[in-house]
Amino acid sequence: MSSVLDDIRRWKLWFPFFQVLIAAVSLYDCWLTLRFREVMLHTEQNPLGLWLIEVASGEVWLFLQFKAAGTLVVLLLLFWMFLRNLKRSEEHTSELQSHLNLVCRLLLEKK
């Protein structure tokens, strides 16, 4: 039971770090896109990204908006999954505690 609680505590500490890391990598990617926007039309290999740049007449703003929206969706989805799993883990822990309490009570009553 304590290992489950330790896992929950560990993820509570590390999850914000991973969220910030994903956001930082996305921001750095956007900065690189802006810095090298003159060559993006020739170097972008993602067909959707290339199409977005072509639609915007070689500008990268539409491309960056889609990248930002995608990053936001991923961060929100990860946060939702984290909260859902955290709730499930806490429910599982409380179930373990209640079963443990029941067993202890039964053992004490037998004495």
Side-chain angles (χ1 to χ4, degrees):
M1 181 174 67
S2 67
S3 69
V4 172
L5 291 174
D6 290 340
D7 288 344
I8 292 171
R9 286 185 194 112
R10 188 176 308 117
W11 276 109
K12 280 183 180 180
L13 293 173
W14 280 102
F15 184 75
F17 170 76
F18 290 127
Q19 291 281 79
V20 169
L21 181 66
I22 291 169
V25 168
S26 180
L27 284 173
Y28 181 68
D29 189 40
C30 288
W31 178 79
L32 287 174
T33 301
L34 285 173
R35 182 144 177 354
F36 299 108
R37 63 181 164 262
E38 296 84 22
V39 296
M40 282 299 294
L41 189 58
H42 306 291
T43 58
E44 179 61 33
Q45 294 183 6
N46 181 349
L48 181 59
L50 186 59
W51 179 77
L52 289 170
I53 294 170
E54 287 173 353
V55 165
S57 303
E59 293 293 322
V60 296
W61 297 107
L62 185 61
F63 178 66
L64 287 174
Q65 288 174 348
F66 272 80
K67 284 176 83 69
T71 300
L72 185 61
V73 166
V74 166
L75 290 173
L76 290 173
L77 183 63
L78 287 173
F79 186 67
W80 174 76
M81 289 170 56
F82 172 73
L83 290 178
R84 193 174 124 233
N85 287 336
L86 185 63
K87 183 180 175 186
R88 189 178 295 162
S89 296
E90 288 173 353
E91 288 172 358
H92 179 67
T93 302
S94 65
E95 284 178 20
L96 286 175
Q97 288 175 339
S98 64
H99 290 310
L100 184 63
N101 289 340
L102 178 63
V103 170
C104 289
R105 258 188 268 131
L106 289 173
L107 288 174
L108 288 173
E109 286 175 7
K110 286 188 175 185
K111 284 185 176 182

